[in-house]
Amino acid sequence: DLDSDVGVCIEAITVELINGDQLSGSVRLEGLIGMCRLSDFLNTRPAFLPLQGDEQIHLLHKRFIARIIPRRS
């Protein structure tokens, strides 16, 4: 069963936007167990990155993201 091979990872990141603003939070990634990669999500179809901040969810259009910095929890 392919569904049993799918897992969810939560990754802490800092996103730098093209205007220089930075937002920190976490993203939820779905993928094969042991293979949840942010790069795979960024290269797929959805145009927005949902970033869970401390108080709200930021929907960031990928076009306006300059870089993403992984954070160690």
Side-chain angles (χ1 to χ4, degrees):
D1 186 357
L2 188 58
D3 288 339
S4 64
D5 294 335
V6 175
V8 175
C9 305
I10 306 295
E11 194 166 324
I13 61 172
T14 296
V15 177
E16 183 177 325
L17 303 175
I18 58 174
N19 69 359
D21 288 350
Q22 289 190 351
L23 298 168
S24 293
S26 60
V27 290
R28 176 188 162 118
L29 306 173
E30 294 182 13
L32 296 177
I33 294 174
M35 299 292 289
C36 297
R37 298 185 324 170
L38 184 58
S39 61
D40 290 336
F41 176 84
L42 294 172
N43 291 322
T44 59
R45 189 176 179 122
F48 291 90
L49 173 73
L51 179 71
Q52 176 65 57
D54 290 335
E55 298 178 10
Q56 61 187 336
I57 294 177
H58 305 278
L59 293 176
L60 306 174
H61 198 292
K62 292 180 190 177
R63 184 180 317 172
F64 300 107
I65 296 174
R67 69 183 181 146
I68 296 177
I69 306 156
R71 293 186 300 134
R72 301 290 173 221
S73 303

Short mmCIF file of all heavy atoms in Angstrom, two decimals:
data_model
loop_
_atom_site.label_atom_id
_atom_site.label_comp_id
_atom_site.label_asym_id
_atom_site.label_seq_id
_atom_site.Cartn_x
_atom_site.Cartn_y
_atom_site.Cartn_z
N ASP A 1 0.85 -1.18 0.00
CA ASP A 1 0.00 0.00 0.00
C ASP A 1 0.89 1.24 0.00
O ASP A 1 1.65 1.48 0.93
CB ASP A 1 -0.90 -0.03 1.23
CG ASP A 1 -1.93 1.09 1.26
OD1 ASP A 1 -1.92 1.94 0.35
OD2 ASP A 1 -2.73 1.11 2.19
N LEU A 2 0.77 2.06 -1.04
CA LEU A 2 1.62 3.24 -1.19
C LEU A 2 1.36 4.29 -0.11
O LEU A 2 2.28 4.96 0.34
CB LEU A 2 1.42 3.86 -2.57
CG LEU A 2 2.35 4.98 -2.99
CD1 LEU A 2 3.80 4.50 -2.93
CD2 LEU A 2 2.01 5.49 -4.37
N ASP A 3 0.10 4.43 0.36
CA ASP A 3 -0.21 5.43 1.38
C ASP A 3 0.52 5.17 2.69
O ASP A 3 0.82 6.10 3.42
CB ASP A 3 -1.72 5.47 1.65
CG ASP A 3 -2.49 6.11 0.51
OD1 ASP A 3 -1.87 6.86 -0.27
OD2 ASP A 3 -3.70 5.85 0.40
N SER A 4 0.82 3.92 2.99
CA SER A 4 1.51 3.61 4.24
C SER A 4 2.98 4.03 4.19
O SER A 4 3.64 4.10 5.21
CB SER A 4 1.39 2.12 4.56
OG SER A 4 2.06 1.36 3.57
N ASP A 5 3.49 4.33 2.99
CA ASP A 5 4.88 4.77 2.84
C ASP A 5 5.04 6.29 2.90
O ASP A 5 6.14 6.80 2.78
CB ASP A 5 5.45 4.26 1.51
CG ASP A 5 5.55 2.75 1.46
OD1 ASP A 5 5.65 2.13 2.54
OD2 ASP A 5 5.53 2.20 0.35
N VAL A 6 3.92 7.00 3.05
CA VAL A 6 3.95 8.46 3.07
C VAL A 6 3.99 8.95 4.51
O VAL A 6 3.27 8.46 5.37
CB VAL A 6 2.72 9.05 2.34
CG1 VAL A 6 2.69 10.56 2.46
CG2 VAL A 6 2.72 8.64 0.88
N GLY A 7 4.87 9.92 4.76
CA GLY A 7 4.99 10.49 6.10
C GLY A 7 4.93 12.00 6.04
O GLY A 7 4.90 12.61 4.97
N VAL A 8 4.92 12.62 7.21
CA VAL A 8 4.89 14.08 7.32
C VAL A 8 6.08 14.52 8.15
O VAL A 8 6.36 13.94 9.20
CB VAL A 8 3.57 14.56 7.98
CG1 VAL A 8 3.60 16.05 8.21
CG2 VAL A 8 2.37 14.16 7.14
N CYS A 9 6.76 15.54 7.69
CA CYS A 9 7.89 16.13 8.41
C CYS A 9 7.57 17.60 8.67
O CYS A 9 6.96 18.25 7.84
CB CYS A 9 9.17 16.05 7.59
SG CYS A 9 9.61 14.41 7.04
N ILE A 10 7.99 18.09 9.81
CA ILE A 10 7.89 19.53 10.12
C ILE A 10 9.31 20.06 10.14
O ILE A 10 10.16 19.54 10.87
CB ILE A 10 7.21 19.76 11.49
CG1 ILE A 10 5.84 19.07 11.55
CG2 ILE A 10 7.11 21.26 11.77
CD1 ILE A 10 4.81 19.60 10.60
N GLU A 11 9.56 21.09 9.33
CA GLU A 11 10.91 21.63 9.22
C GLU A 11 10.91 23.11 9.61
O GLU A 11 10.10 23.89 9.10
CB GLU A 11 11.43 21.45 7.80
CG GLU A 11 12.91 21.68 7.69
CD GLU A 11 13.47 21.17 6.38
OE1 GLU A 11 13.01 20.15 5.88
OE2 GLU A 11 14.39 21.83 5.87
N ALA A 12 11.81 23.50 10.52
CA ALA A 12 11.95 24.90 10.93
C ALA A 12 12.84 25.60 9.93
O ALA A 12 13.94 25.13 9.61
CB ALA A 12 12.55 24.97 12.33
N ILE A 13 12.36 26.77 9.42
CA ILE A 13 13.12 27.51 8.42
C ILE A 13 13.00 29.02 8.65
O ILE A 13 12.12 29.48 9.37
CB ILE A 13 12.63 27.19 6.99
CG1 ILE A 13 11.16 27.58 6.80
CG2 ILE A 13 12.87 25.74 6.63
CD1 ILE A 13 10.67 27.48 5.37
N THR A 14 13.91 29.75 8.04
CA THR A 14 13.80 31.19 7.91
C THR A 14 13.75 31.49 6.42
O THR A 14 14.55 30.97 5.65
CB THR A 14 15.01 31.91 8.54
OG1 THR A 14 15.02 31.64 9.95
CG2 THR A 14 14.94 33.42 8.33
N VAL A 15 12.76 32.30 6.02
CA VAL A 15 12.58 32.64 4.62
C VAL A 15 13.00 34.09 4.43
O VAL A 15 12.54 34.97 5.15
CB VAL A 15 11.11 32.46 4.19
CG1 VAL A 15 10.91 32.89 2.75
CG2 VAL A 15 10.67 31.02 4.38
N GLU A 16 13.89 34.32 3.46
CA GLU A 16 14.26 35.69 3.10
C GLU A 16 13.55 36.03 1.80
O GLU A 16 13.67 35.32 0.80
CB GLU A 16 15.77 35.81 2.91
CG GLU A 16 16.19 37.24 2.61
CD GLU A 16 17.69 37.39 2.49
OE1 GLU A 16 18.43 36.69 3.22
OE2 GLU A 16 18.13 38.20 1.67
N LEU A 17 12.78 37.11 1.83
CA LEU A 17 12.04 37.55 0.65
C LEU A 17 12.90 38.45 -0.22
O LEU A 17 13.93 38.97 0.24
CB LEU A 17 10.77 38.27 1.08
CG LEU A 17 9.83 37.47 1.98
CD1 LEU A 17 8.65 38.32 2.43
CD2 LEU A 17 9.35 36.21 1.28
N ILE A 18 12.49 38.68 -1.44
CA ILE A 18 13.30 39.49 -2.37
C ILE A 18 13.41 40.95 -1.93
O ILE A 18 14.34 41.63 -2.34
CB ILE A 18 12.79 39.39 -3.82
CG1 ILE A 18 11.34 39.84 -3.94
CG2 ILE A 18 12.97 37.97 -4.35
CD1 ILE A 18 10.82 39.89 -5.37
N ASN A 19 12.51 41.41 -1.06
CA ASN A 19 12.60 42.78 -0.54
C ASN A 19 13.49 42.87 0.70
O ASN A 19 13.62 43.93 1.29
CB ASN A 19 11.22 43.36 -0.26
CG ASN A 19 10.52 42.69 0.90
OD1 ASN A 19 11.03 41.76 1.52
ND2 ASN A 19 9.33 43.18 1.21
N GLY A 20 14.08 41.75 1.14
CA GLY A 20 14.97 41.73 2.29
C GLY A 20 14.32 41.32 3.60
O GLY A 20 15.02 41.03 4.56
N ASP A 21 12.99 41.31 3.65
CA ASP A 21 12.30 40.88 4.88
C ASP A 21 12.59 39.41 5.15
O ASP A 21 12.78 38.62 4.22
CB ASP A 21 10.78 41.05 4.75
CG ASP A 21 10.34 42.50 4.79
OD1 ASP A 21 11.18 43.38 5.10
OD2 ASP A 21 9.16 42.76 4.48
N GLN A 22 12.63 39.05 6.44
CA GLN A 22 12.82 37.66 6.83
C GLN A 22 11.69 37.23 7.75
O GLN A 22 11.28 37.98 8.62
CB GLN A 22 14.16 37.47 7.56
CG GLN A 22 15.35 37.59 6.66
CD GLN A 22 16.64 37.16 7.35
OE1 GLN A 22 16.67 36.91 8.55
NE2 GLN A 22 17.70 37.06 6.58
N LEU A 23 11.20 36.02 7.51
CA LEU A 23 10.16 35.42 8.34
C LEU A 23 10.63 34.06 8.79
O LEU A 23 11.20 33.30 8.00
CB LEU A 23 8.86 35.27 7.54
CG LEU A 23 8.21 36.55 7.02
CD1 LEU A 23 7.12 36.22 6.02
CD2 LEU A 23 7.64 37.34 8.18
N SER A 24 10.40 33.74 10.05
CA SER A 24 10.77 32.43 10.59
C SER A 24 9.53 31.66 10.97
O SER A 24 8.52 32.23 11.37
CB SER A 24 11.68 32.59 11.81
OG SER A 24 12.91 33.14 11.43
N GLY A 25 9.61 30.36 10.82
CA GLY A 25 8.49 29.50 11.18
C GLY A 25 8.79 28.08 10.78
O GLY A 25 9.95 27.67 10.67
N SER A 26 7.73 27.33 10.53
CA SER A 26 7.90 25.92 10.14
C SER A 26 7.00 25.60 8.97
O SER A 26 5.98 26.25 8.75
CB SER A 26 7.60 25.01 11.33
OG SER A 26 6.27 25.20 11.77
N VAL A 27 7.42 24.61 8.20
CA VAL A 27 6.62 24.13 7.08
C VAL A 27 6.35 22.65 7.28
O VAL A 27 7.15 21.92 7.86
CB VAL A 27 7.32 24.36 5.72
CG1 VAL A 27 7.36 25.82 5.37
CG2 VAL A 27 8.70 23.77 5.69
N ARG A 28 5.21 22.22 6.79
CA ARG A 28 4.81 20.82 6.86
C ARG A 28 5.07 20.20 5.49
O ARG A 28 4.57 20.69 4.47
CB ARG A 28 3.32 20.75 7.19
CG ARG A 28 2.75 19.38 7.20
CD ARG A 28 1.24 19.47 7.35
NE ARG A 28 0.63 18.23 6.96
CZ ARG A 28 -0.07 17.47 7.76
NH1 ARG A 28 -0.26 17.82 9.00
NH2 ARG A 28 -0.59 16.35 7.33
N LEU A 29 5.87 19.16 5.48
CA LEU A 29 6.24 18.50 4.23
C LEU A 29 5.72 17.08 4.23
O LEU A 29 5.84 16.38 5.24
CB LEU A 29 7.77 18.47 4.08
CG LEU A 29 8.48 19.81 4.19
CD1 LEU A 29 9.98 19.60 4.20
CD2 LEU A 29 8.08 20.72 3.04
N GLU A 30 5.14 16.67 3.13
CA GLU A 30 4.68 15.29 2.99
C GLU A 30 5.54 14.61 1.94
O GLU A 30 5.91 15.22 0.94
CB GLU A 30 3.21 15.25 2.56
CG GLU A 30 2.28 15.79 3.62
CD GLU A 30 0.83 15.70 3.21
OE1 GLU A 30 0.52 15.01 2.23
OE2 GLU A 30 0.01 16.33 3.89
N GLY A 31 5.86 13.36 2.17
CA GLY A 31 6.65 12.61 1.21
C GLY A 31 6.88 11.20 1.70
O GLY A 31 6.38 10.81 2.76
N LEU A 32 7.62 10.45 0.94
CA LEU A 32 7.94 9.09 1.35
C LEU A 32 8.71 9.14 2.66
O LEU A 32 9.51 10.06 2.89
CB LEU A 32 8.77 8.40 0.28
CG LEU A 32 8.07 8.18 -1.06
CD1 LEU A 32 9.03 7.56 -2.07
CD2 LEU A 32 6.83 7.32 -0.90
N ILE A 33 8.46 8.19 3.53
CA ILE A 33 9.12 8.15 4.84
C ILE A 33 10.63 8.22 4.65
O ILE A 33 11.20 7.48 3.86
CB ILE A 33 8.70 6.89 5.62
CG1 ILE A 33 7.21 6.98 5.95
CG2 ILE A 33 9.53 6.74 6.89
CD1 ILE A 33 6.64 5.73 6.59
N GLY A 34 11.25 9.17 5.34
CA GLY A 34 12.69 9.38 5.24
C GLY A 34 13.10 10.22 4.05
O GLY A 34 14.28 10.47 3.84
N MET A 35 12.13 10.66 3.25
CA MET A 35 12.45 11.41 2.03
C MET A 35 11.71 12.75 1.96
O MET A 35 11.44 13.24 0.88
CB MET A 35 12.11 10.58 0.79
CG MET A 35 12.87 9.29 0.68
SD MET A 35 14.62 9.53 0.37
CE MET A 35 14.55 10.11 -1.31
N CYS A 36 11.31 13.31 3.09
CA CYS A 36 10.64 14.60 3.10
C CYS A 36 11.69 15.68 2.88
O CYS A 36 12.54 15.90 3.74
CB CYS A 36 9.95 14.84 4.45
SG CYS A 36 8.64 13.69 4.85
N ARG A 37 11.63 16.31 1.71
CA ARG A 37 12.64 17.32 1.40
C ARG A 37 11.97 18.62 0.99
O ARG A 37 11.06 18.63 0.16
CB ARG A 37 13.57 16.84 0.29
CG ARG A 37 14.34 15.60 0.65
CD ARG A 37 15.32 15.19 -0.40
NE ARG A 37 14.83 15.44 -1.76
CZ ARG A 37 15.61 15.34 -2.83
NH1 ARG A 37 16.88 15.03 -2.71
NH2 ARG A 37 15.11 15.56 -4.04
N LEU A 38 12.44 19.72 1.54
CA LEU A 38 11.93 21.03 1.19
C LEU A 38 12.15 21.32 -0.28
O LEU A 38 11.30 21.91 -0.95
CB LEU A 38 12.58 22.10 2.07
CG LEU A 38 12.08 23.52 1.90
CD1 LEU A 38 10.58 23.61 2.17
CD2 LEU A 38 12.82 24.45 2.84
N SER A 39 13.27 20.91 -0.83
CA SER A 39 13.55 21.16 -2.24
C SER A 39 12.52 20.50 -3.14
O SER A 39 12.13 21.06 -4.17
CB SER A 39 14.96 20.69 -2.61
OG SER A 39 15.09 19.31 -2.39
N ASP A 40 12.03 19.32 -2.77
CA ASP A 40 10.99 18.66 -3.56
C ASP A 40 9.70 19.48 -3.55
O ASP A 40 9.04 19.64 -4.57
CB ASP A 40 10.71 17.25 -3.03
CG ASP A 40 11.85 16.30 -3.29
OD1 ASP A 40 12.65 16.54 -4.22
OD2 ASP A 40 11.96 15.30 -2.55
N PHE A 41 9.34 20.01 -2.38
CA PHE A 41 8.14 20.84 -2.29
C PHE A 41 8.28 22.09 -3.14
O PHE A 41 7.37 22.48 -3.86
CB PHE A 41 7.86 21.23 -0.84
CG PHE A 41 6.67 22.15 -0.71
CD1 PHE A 41 5.39 21.64 -0.67
CD2 PHE A 41 6.84 23.53 -0.68
CE1 PHE A 41 4.29 22.49 -0.58
CE2 PHE A 41 5.76 24.38 -0.60
CZ PHE A 41 4.48 23.86 -0.55
N LEU A 42 9.43 22.73 -3.08
CA LEU A 42 9.63 23.98 -3.81
C LEU A 42 9.61 23.76 -5.32
O LEU A 42 9.30 24.69 -6.07
CB LEU A 42 10.95 24.64 -3.39
CG LEU A 42 10.97 25.13 -1.94
CD1 LEU A 42 12.37 25.59 -1.58
CD2 LEU A 42 9.97 26.25 -1.73
N ASN A 43 9.94 22.57 -5.76
CA ASN A 43 9.96 22.28 -7.20
C ASN A 43 8.66 21.70 -7.72
O ASN A 43 8.58 21.36 -8.90
CB ASN A 43 11.12 21.33 -7.51
CG ASN A 43 12.46 22.01 -7.35
OD1 ASN A 43 12.62 23.17 -7.68
ND2 ASN A 43 13.42 21.28 -6.81
N THR A 44 7.64 21.60 -6.87
CA THR A 44 6.35 21.08 -7.32
C THR A 44 5.40 22.21 -7.64
O THR A 44 5.72 23.39 -7.48
CB THR A 44 5.73 20.14 -6.27
OG1 THR A 44 5.56 20.85 -5.05
CG2 THR A 44 6.58 18.90 -6.05
N ARG A 45 4.23 21.87 -8.01
CA ARG A 45 3.26 22.79 -8.58
C ARG A 45 2.73 23.91 -7.67
O ARG A 45 2.52 25.02 -8.15
CB ARG A 45 2.09 21.97 -9.11
CG ARG A 45 1.12 22.75 -9.89
CD ARG A 45 0.07 21.84 -10.45
NE ARG A 45 -0.87 22.65 -11.20
CZ ARG A 45 -1.14 22.46 -12.46
NH1 ARG A 45 -0.58 21.49 -13.11
NH2 ARG A 45 -2.01 23.25 -13.06
N PRO A 46 2.46 23.71 -6.40
CA PRO A 46 1.84 24.81 -5.63
C PRO A 46 2.68 26.09 -5.70
O PRO A 46 3.89 26.05 -5.58
CB PRO A 46 1.79 24.28 -4.20
CG PRO A 46 1.89 22.80 -4.33
CD PRO A 46 2.69 22.55 -5.57
N ALA A 47 1.99 27.22 -5.92
CA ALA A 47 2.69 28.50 -6.05
C ALA A 47 3.03 29.12 -4.70
O ALA A 47 3.87 30.00 -4.63
CB ALA A 47 1.83 29.47 -6.86
N PHE A 48 2.37 28.66 -3.64
CA PHE A 48 2.55 29.28 -2.33
C PHE A 48 3.20 28.33 -1.34
O PHE A 48 2.93 27.14 -1.34
CB PHE A 48 1.20 29.75 -1.77
CG PHE A 48 0.62 30.90 -2.54
CD1 PHE A 48 -0.21 30.67 -3.62
CD2 PHE A 48 0.92 32.20 -2.19
CE1 PHE A 48 -0.74 31.73 -4.34
CE2 PHE A 48 0.39 33.26 -2.90
CZ PHE A 48 -0.44 33.02 -3.98
N LEU A 49 4.03 28.90 -0.48
CA LEU A 49 4.66 28.17 0.62
C LEU A 49 3.93 28.57 1.90
O LEU A 49 3.98 29.75 2.29
CB LEU A 49 6.14 28.54 0.72
CG LEU A 49 6.89 27.99 1.93
CD1 LEU A 49 7.12 26.50 1.76
CD2 LEU A 49 8.22 28.69 2.10
N PRO A 50 3.21 27.65 2.55
CA PRO A 50 2.55 27.99 3.81
C PRO A 50 3.56 27.90 4.96
O PRO A 50 4.04 26.83 5.30
CB PRO A 50 1.45 26.93 3.94
CG PRO A 50 1.95 25.77 3.13
CD PRO A 50 2.88 26.31 2.08
N LEU A 51 3.89 29.03 5.55
CA LEU A 51 4.85 29.11 6.64
C LEU A 51 4.09 29.38 7.93
O LEU A 51 3.44 30.41 8.08
CB LEU A 51 5.86 30.23 6.37
CG LEU A 51 6.93 30.44 7.44
CD1 LEU A 51 7.92 29.29 7.43
CD2 LEU A 51 7.67 31.76 7.20
N GLN A 52 4.17 28.44 8.88
CA GLN A 52 3.49 28.59 10.16
C GLN A 52 4.38 29.41 11.08
O GLN A 52 5.42 28.94 11.53
CB GLN A 52 3.21 27.23 10.79
CG GLN A 52 2.60 27.29 12.18
CD GLN A 52 1.22 27.91 12.17
OE1 GLN A 52 0.33 27.44 11.48
NE2 GLN A 52 1.03 28.96 12.95
N GLY A 53 3.98 30.66 11.34
CA GLY A 53 4.71 31.53 12.26
C GLY A 53 4.23 31.32 13.67
O GLY A 53 3.40 30.44 13.95
N ASP A 54 4.72 32.14 14.61
CA ASP A 54 4.31 32.02 16.01
C ASP A 54 2.84 32.31 16.20
O ASP A 54 2.17 31.67 17.00
CB ASP A 54 5.13 32.98 16.88
CG ASP A 54 6.57 32.53 17.00
OD1 ASP A 54 6.85 31.33 16.85
OD2 ASP A 54 7.43 33.40 17.26
N GLU A 55 2.31 33.30 15.47
CA GLU A 55 0.94 33.72 15.69
C GLU A 55 0.03 33.56 14.49
O GLU A 55 -1.18 33.72 14.61
CB GLU A 55 0.92 35.19 16.14
CG GLU A 55 1.67 35.42 17.44
CD GLU A 55 1.70 36.87 17.85
OE1 GLU A 55 1.00 37.68 17.22
OE2 GLU A 55 2.43 37.20 18.79
N GLN A 56 0.60 33.29 13.30
CA GLN A 56 -0.22 33.21 12.10
C GLN A 56 0.47 32.38 11.03
O GLN A 56 1.65 32.08 11.13
CB GLN A 56 -0.53 34.60 11.57
CG GLN A 56 0.71 35.39 11.19
CD GLN A 56 0.37 36.83 10.82
OE1 GLN A 56 -0.76 37.13 10.44
NE2 GLN A 56 1.32 37.72 10.95
N ILE A 57 -0.30 32.04 10.01
CA ILE A 57 0.26 31.35 8.85
C ILE A 57 0.50 32.38 7.77
O ILE A 57 -0.38 33.18 7.45
CB ILE A 57 -0.70 30.25 8.34
CG1 ILE A 57 -0.83 29.15 9.38
CG2 ILE A 57 -0.19 29.68 7.02
CD1 ILE A 57 -1.81 28.07 9.00
N HIS A 58 1.69 32.36 7.20
CA HIS A 58 2.05 33.24 6.10
C HIS A 58 1.99 32.41 4.82
O HIS A 58 2.63 31.37 4.73
CB HIS A 58 3.47 33.79 6.26
CG HIS A 58 3.70 34.49 7.56
ND1 HIS A 58 3.33 35.80 7.77
CD2 HIS A 58 4.25 34.05 8.71
CE1 HIS A 58 3.66 36.15 8.99
NE2 HIS A 58 4.22 35.11 9.60
N LEU A 59 1.23 32.87 3.83
CA LEU A 59 1.21 32.22 2.53
C LEU A 59 2.14 33.01 1.62
O LEU A 59 1.80 34.10 1.17
CB LEU A 59 -0.21 32.17 1.97
CG LEU A 59 -1.17 31.29 2.75
CD1 LEU A 59 -2.58 31.39 2.17
CD2 LEU A 59 -0.71 29.85 2.74
N LEU A 60 3.31 32.46 1.37
CA LEU A 60 4.35 33.17 0.63
C LEU A 60 4.41 32.66 -0.81
O LEU A 60 4.59 31.47 -1.04
CB LEU A 60 5.70 32.95 1.31
CG LEU A 60 5.77 33.31 2.80
CD1 LEU A 60 7.11 32.91 3.38
CD2 LEU A 60 5.51 34.79 2.98
N HIS A 61 4.26 33.56 -1.75
CA HIS A 61 4.37 33.18 -3.15
C HIS A 61 5.83 32.86 -3.45
O HIS A 61 6.73 33.64 -3.12
CB HIS A 61 3.88 34.30 -4.06
CG HIS A 61 3.56 33.84 -5.44
ND1 HIS A 61 4.52 33.42 -6.32
CD2 HIS A 61 2.37 33.71 -6.07
CE1 HIS A 61 3.95 33.05 -7.45
NE2 HIS A 61 2.64 33.22 -7.32
N LYS A 62 6.07 31.72 -4.04
CA LYS A 62 7.45 31.28 -4.29
C LYS A 62 8.24 32.27 -5.13
O LYS A 62 9.45 32.38 -4.99
CB LYS A 62 7.44 29.91 -4.99
CG LYS A 62 6.95 28.78 -4.12
CD LYS A 62 6.99 27.51 -4.92
CE LYS A 62 6.29 26.38 -4.23
NZ LYS A 62 6.29 25.18 -5.07
N ARG A 63 7.58 33.01 -5.98
CA ARG A 63 8.24 33.99 -6.84
C ARG A 63 8.95 35.08 -6.03
O ARG A 63 9.92 35.67 -6.50
CB ARG A 63 7.20 34.63 -7.76
CG ARG A 63 7.76 35.58 -8.76
CD ARG A 63 6.69 36.17 -9.63
NE ARG A 63 5.73 35.15 -10.06
CZ ARG A 63 4.62 35.42 -10.70
NH1 ARG A 63 4.30 36.65 -11.00
NH2 ARG A 63 3.79 34.45 -11.04
N PHE A 64 8.48 35.35 -4.81
CA PHE A 64 9.04 36.43 -3.99
C PHE A 64 10.00 35.93 -2.93
O PHE A 64 10.44 36.70 -2.07
CB PHE A 64 7.90 37.23 -3.36
CG PHE A 64 7.01 37.86 -4.39
CD1 PHE A 64 5.74 37.36 -4.62
CD2 PHE A 64 7.46 38.92 -5.16
CE1 PHE A 64 4.93 37.92 -5.60
CE2 PHE A 64 6.66 39.49 -6.14
CZ PHE A 64 5.38 38.98 -6.36
N ILE A 65 10.36 34.65 -2.96
CA ILE A 65 11.31 34.08 -2.01
C ILE A 65 12.71 34.14 -2.61
O ILE A 65 12.95 33.62 -3.70
CB ILE A 65 10.94 32.63 -1.66
CG1 ILE A 65 9.59 32.59 -0.94
CG2 ILE A 65 12.03 31.98 -0.81
CD1 ILE A 65 9.06 31.19 -0.69
N ALA A 66 13.63 34.81 -1.90
CA ALA A 66 15.02 34.90 -2.36
C ALA A 66 15.81 33.67 -1.92
O ALA A 66 16.59 33.12 -2.70
CB ALA A 66 15.68 36.17 -1.82
N ARG A 67 15.62 33.26 -0.67
CA ARG A 67 16.31 32.06 -0.19
C ARG A 67 15.63 31.53 1.06
O ARG A 67 14.89 32.25 1.74
CB ARG A 67 17.79 32.30 0.07
CG ARG A 67 18.10 33.20 1.22
CD ARG A 67 19.60 33.40 1.32
NE ARG A 67 19.90 34.25 2.46
CZ ARG A 67 20.97 34.13 3.20
NH1 ARG A 67 21.85 33.20 2.93
NH2 ARG A 67 21.18 34.93 4.20
N ILE A 68 15.92 30.28 1.36
CA ILE A 68 15.39 29.61 2.55
C ILE A 68 16.55 29.04 3.34
O ILE A 68 17.43 28.38 2.78
CB ILE A 68 14.41 28.49 2.14
CG1 ILE A 68 13.19 29.11 1.45
CG2 ILE A 68 14.00 27.67 3.37
CD1 ILE A 68 12.19 28.11 0.96
N ILE A 69 16.55 29.35 4.62
CA ILE A 69 17.63 28.93 5.52
C ILE A 69 17.07 27.94 6.54
O ILE A 69 16.18 28.30 7.33
CB ILE A 69 18.23 30.15 6.24
CG1 ILE A 69 18.66 31.21 5.22
CG2 ILE A 69 19.38 29.73 7.14
CD1 ILE A 69 18.73 32.60 5.78
N PRO A 70 17.53 26.69 6.52
CA PRO A 70 17.09 25.73 7.54
C PRO A 70 17.55 26.18 8.93
O PRO A 70 18.64 26.72 9.08
CB PRO A 70 17.77 24.42 7.15
CG PRO A 70 18.24 24.61 5.75
CD PRO A 70 18.45 26.08 5.57
N ARG A 71 16.70 25.98 9.93
CA ARG A 71 17.05 26.28 11.31
C ARG A 71 17.13 24.99 12.09
O ARG A 71 16.34 24.08 11.88
CB ARG A 71 16.01 27.20 11.96
CG ARG A 71 15.98 28.58 11.34
CD ARG A 71 15.04 29.51 12.09
NE ARG A 71 13.67 29.01 12.08
CZ ARG A 71 12.89 28.97 13.14
NH1 ARG A 71 13.30 29.39 14.30
NH2 ARG A 71 11.65 28.51 13.06
N ARG A 72 18.04 24.93 13.00
CA ARG A 72 18.15 23.75 13.87
C ARG A 72 17.31 24.00 15.10
O ARG A 72 17.43 25.02 15.76
CB ARG A 72 19.61 23.50 14.26
CG ARG A 72 20.52 23.28 13.09
CD ARG A 72 20.21 21.96 12.43
NE ARG A 72 20.98 21.82 11.20
CZ ARG A 72 20.48 21.31 10.10
NH1 ARG A 72 19.25 20.92 10.03
NH2 ARG A 72 21.23 21.19 9.04
N SER A 73 16.44 23.06 15.42
CA SER A 73 15.55 23.21 16.59
C SER A 73 16.30 22.94 17.87
O SER A 73 17.18 22.16 17.95
CB SER A 73 14.38 22.24 16.49
OG SER A 73 13.69 22.45 15.29
#
